[in-house]
Amino acid sequence: MNFIITTPLYYVNDKPHLGSVYTTIICDSIARYKRLRGEKVLFITGVDEHGLKIQRTALSNGVLPKEHCDEISNIFKQNWLKWNISFNKFLRTTSKDHEKVVHEFYNKVKKSNDIYMGEQKGWYCVGCEEFKDNPDNSPSQKCPIHKKNLEWKNETNLFFRLSKYQKVIEELIQDPEFIEPKERRNEIINFVSKGLKDFSISRTNLNWGIKVPDHLNHTFYVWFDALLGYISAISSGDKNHSLAESINSGWPANLHIIGKDILRFHAIYWPAMLISAGLKPPKKIIGHGFLTREGQKMGKSLGNVLDPEILFQKYGEESVRWYLLKDIILGSDGDFQDRRFVDIINNDLANTIGNLLNRTSSMSRKWFNNKTPSIGEKNNGEISELANISIKNYLTYFDKYKIDKASNEILNFAINVNLYLNKKEPWSLIKDDNNIYEVKLIIYNVLEATRIIGTLLKPILPQFSVKILTQLGENDINNRNWDENLRWGLLLEANDLPKPTPIVDKLDYE
Ligand code: MSP
């Protein structure tokens, strides 16, 4: 059975920003972790290309929507490849495959008698592509997220009978596993308790969308269309692509990772739509927090938007991953601070982990003929015990998607190993020949600990992990089972150690 994990399907109104990079990196590390644990993973990402927002963006750029979407979709896909994102499917909502699934799905919902024609009146935010709850009637009413004027809409649309699913949704969200974190789940419980209202799923004044089959002057509401991308992606590109084929290939999704701003769509509308069509809701939704910059909301008007491309050029993808995954609690808001970024990379990666490997490998090469020491009997001392505790905690955290805690578990282990090395002072002991066995043991323990650190880093920093393990002479790492690699004592004795190089360069403040 597949483990299906998804990012949101990103709007193509602009190139990827730090928010979309953040969501995608979280998914990537979970996908990698699950694969390492032996699961068959289907990691879905893609783009949301229809709707008024995209149509207007294309118009303002003086190009046709299709041309605009082709260009930005390609930028997204290339960007994820560049960031070493291990996605399996990239879904475009303008693809024929997707359109087919939307039509099939619509017919199912219609058969459940959940579609009707009605009057849609209200204030709409084009940025959110959403009608806003109870704003006052003033035309200067602004969207709290986009800070732009809402637009008054009054048209005849097709509606989905969401109100019919009040009880079903109430029950679904009672499960504490369904929505995380807890605070976000409480927001949803609170919203649902006020009573669910039917919502419109078509538009008549919009061309840029998928046509509703039995009402050709209507196009589907962009959210109704986009959410279905999670299903159409599963069998997209296959010969027998269809709704049924996607469902048979592993639906429901195990995990939707999204930002907190789009939780209602995922935790309420989407499950109700699925249940109406006779399908299962996703198993879990995690709503991550928002990133701010130096304590301020990022925005074009504030001129403080952090371009992920610049971060990529300056620091490389793995340093950015470490900051976002280790320093920001998954589920809480996080702040991006330049100074903190530099400190974290220097302290954690360059010093605590990088330098531990570098200095121990240098000692081993110097004292043991460019090789790891040979110690004979394996020792089960304090470091192996610490390693086993850290591994256990790390796995427990990762299984609960607490990636920040799992990352910190690696870091704390590395800090303790540094303390052990400093306490033991092998550089003093080596001066007396009688201490040779003890020195070998210390060096072996520390090198073995760095091998465990390198292995644990694999889903979080895949390339650093390889760099560390290759420097330990662990060339066959990819042929061994990852779980197996976490067993203490696997570092080969009297094995060649290549000349160490820093795994990451130290950064300077600018
Ligand atoms: N197209 C919809 C999703 C449809 S899913 C079927 C959409 N796209 S988006 O491109 O606007 O948002 C992408 C993701 O970026 C969302 O998860 C959103 O929460 C996230 N972020 C946007 N700004 C953000 C920050 N400043 N910080 C962190 N993530 C934020 O919504």
Side-chain angles (χ1 to χ4, degrees):
M1 190 53 121
N2 279 329
F3 179 89
I4 301 180
I5 177 166
T6 71
T7 71
L9 304 184
Y10 300 110
Y11 285 130
V12 291
N13 59 320
D14 212 343
K15 57 188 190 348
H17 53 71
L18 196 62
S20 29
V21 167
Y22 179 50
T23 324
T24 309
I25 284 176
I26 296 170
C27 287
D28 184 65
S29 70
I30 297 174
R32 286 177 186 272
Y33 174 74
K34 291 283 176 188
R35 288 189 197 109
L36 291 170
R37 299 303 307 270
E39 295 204 42
K40 192 164 180 288
V41 172
L42 186 71
F43 172 10
I44 294 170
T45 187
V47 281
D48 183 354
E49 303 179 277
H50 290 129
L52 197 51
K53 170 150 81 174
I54 309 301
Q55 184 176 280
R56 282 190 185 166
T57 311
L59 196 72
S60 70
N61 292 342
V63 288
L64 292 170
K66 174 79 172 85
E67 278 172 46
H68 170 82
C69 290
D70 285 350
E71 187 194 336
I72 306 284
S73 299
N74 191 41
I75 292 178
F76 265 92
K77 191 168 182 182
Q78 295 312 320
N79 190 63
W80 299 146
L81 292 170
K82 196 172 84 175
W83 281 81
N84 196 23
I85 302 299
S86 62
F87 63 89
N88 303 105
K89 293 273 178 162
F90 184 91
L91 189 276
R92 293 187 59 177
T93 58
T94 50
S95 65
K96 279 277 158 222
D97 276 359
H98 175 67
E99 182 179 307
K100 182 176 179 210
V101 164
V102 173
H103 285 170
E104 288 173 337
F105 186 90
Y106 168 70
N107 286 331
K108 279 186 178 280
V109 175
K110 218 170 77 175
K111 271 205 189 114
S112 300
N113 195 24
D114 284 340
I115 305 281
Y116 65 92
M117 197 66 87
E119 292 297 309
Q120 172 73 70
K121 281 189 196 155
W123 291 102
Y124 193 75
C125 171
V126 180
C128 298
E129 292 281 15
E130 182 182 21
F131 280 98
K132 293 292 164 180
D133 313 323
N134 314 317
D136 63 35
N137 275 335
S138 89
S140 61
Q141 180 71 38
K142 289 201 174 5
C143 165
I145 298 173
H146 292 91
K147 313 278 183 238
K148 292 217 176 106
N149 284 349
L150 300 177
E151 297 180 21
W152 179 254
K153 301 265 177 220
N154 180 0
E155 48 176 90
T156 305
N157 291 159
L158 291 167
F159 276 72
F160 171 68
R161 253 183 250 283
L162 180 64
S163 53
K164 182 171 140 187
Y165 295 92
Q166 176 78 29
K167 270 221 110 42
V168 181
I169 297 296
E170 274 172 9
E171 276 164 28
L172 185 68
I173 60 182
Q174 278 316 311
D175 174 2
E177 290 288 306
F178 183 57
I179 304 170
E180 280 191 53
K182 216 172 48 228
E183 313 83 71
R184 302 268 140 72
R185 177 170 155 255
N186 290 340
E187 285 162 23
I188 293 292
I189 291 179
N190 188 28
F191 179 80
V192 173
S193 71
K194 291 184 190 140
L196 294 175
K197 295 196 196 83
D198 299 348
F199 69 96
S200 59
I201 60 150
S202 75
R203 298 287 180 266
T204 48
N205 60 355
L206 180 73
N207 285 326
W208 187 237
I210 297 177
K211 288 209 176 319
V212 178
D214 47 0
H215 296 277
L216 290 176
N217 58 335
H218 289 242
T219 51
F220 281 107
Y221 171 41
V222 60
W223 272 100
F224 187 88
D225 158 352
L227 286 162
L228 283 162
Y230 295 141
I231 292 189
S232 54
I234 299 175
S235 69
S236 67
D238 297 359
K239 218 170 58 231
N240 306 325
H241 172 80
S242 65
L243 177 60
E245 182 66 16
S246 282
I247 299 303
N248 292 336
S249 309
W251 187 260
N254 297 70
L255 186 57
H256 290 316
I257 302 268
I258 52 163
K260 63 179 180 180
D261 53 328
I262 54 175
L263 191 54
R264 264 186 216 175
F265 289 103
H266 286 80
I268 303 172
Y269 294 20
W270 179 223
M273 284 162 57
L274 287 161
I275 293 165
S276 163
L279 304 174
K280 290 199 178 121
K283 291 195 179 143
K284 190 181 198 67
I285 302 161
I286 297 183
H288 67 69
F290 258 49
L291 297 177
T292 49
R293 173 141 198 227
E294 313 287 346
Q296 274 196 308
K297 189 181 184 301
M298 274 186 261
K300 279 188 190 154
S301 51
L302 292 166
N304 66 347
V305 177
L306 200 49
D307 184 350
E309 181 57 30
I310 293 176
L311 287 178
F312 183 93
Q313 303 280 350
K314 240 163 110 176
Y315 306 120
E317 65 273 34
E318 300 249 323
S319 295
V320 179
R321 280 175 83 107
W322 182 249
Y323 186 93
L324 296 177
L325 295 176
K326 178 250 165 187
D327 211 45
I328 295 169
I329 300 171
L330 180 49
S332 307
D333 290 342
D335 196 30
F336 199 100
Q337 297 168 1
D338 292 321
R339 220 183 160 85
R340 184 155 175 82
F341 184 89
V342 170
D343 283 345
I344 281 183
I345 300 312
N346 287 348
N347 291 340
D348 301 356
L349 299 183
N351 291 343
T352 305
I353 297 177
N355 202 26
L356 176 69
L357 168 67
N358 204 293
R359 61 180 175 146
T360 319
S361 168
S362 301
M363 287 185 270
S364 195
R365 282 169 52 87
K366 187 167 161 204
W367 300 333
F368 310 118
N369 200 19
N370 294 330
K371 292 185 193 299
T372 57
S374 73
I375 54 167
E377 190 75 355
K378 291 275 148 53
N379 134 292
N380 287 322
E382 55 186 306
I383 294 298
S384 80
E385 269 166 39
L386 273 180
N388 288 335
I389 295 169
S390 295
I391 292 167
K392 195 164 157 255
N393 291 343
Y394 167 101
L395 296 175
T396 310
Y397 287 137
F398 230 126
D399 283 338
K400 293 185 182 155
Y401 310 120
K402 302 207 177 301
I403 309 174
D404 52 294
K405 288 211 162 62
S407 306
N408 276 299
E409 201 60 43
I410 306 176
L411 186 65
N412 289 334
F413 177 53
I415 290 171
N416 283 322
V417 180
N418 273 295
L419 289 176
Y420 165 86
L421 191 62
N422 294 345
K423 186 179 77 186
K424 295 285 182 185
E425 294 190 22
W427 48 88
S428 307
L429 293 172
I430 193 78
K431 290 176 189 153
D432 181 344
D433 281 351
N434 291 326
N435 293 330
I436 191 73
Y437 181 71
E438 199 185 344
V439 171
K440 281 185 176 177
L441 214 54
I442 297 165
I443 298 295
Y444 183 90
N445 282 344
V446 177
L447 289 176
E448 173 60 350
T450 48
R451 189 190 65 80
I452 300 276
I453 291 167
T455 308
L456 291 175
L457 277 174
K458 192 122 207 229
I460 300 165
L461 305 179
Q463 295 172 69
F464 280 6
S465 162
V466 172
K467 270 193 196 172
I468 293 174
L469 296 170
T470 346
Q471 293 204 34
L472 290 165
E474 291 283 302
N475 296 326
D476 63 340
I477 185 73
N478 289 321
N479 302 327
R480 270 201 234 132
N481 173 312
W482 185 76
D483 281 5
E484 177 65 16
N485 267 311
L486 293 175
R487 199 155 46 80
W488 182 266
L490 291 182
L491 183 81
L492 294 176
E493 295 177 40
N495 191 32
D496 285 341
L497 274 177
K499 199 169 168 3
T501 50
I503 59 159
V504 60
D505 291 330
K506 272 200 150 188
L507 303 175
D508 290 325
Y509 296 115
E510 280 186 357

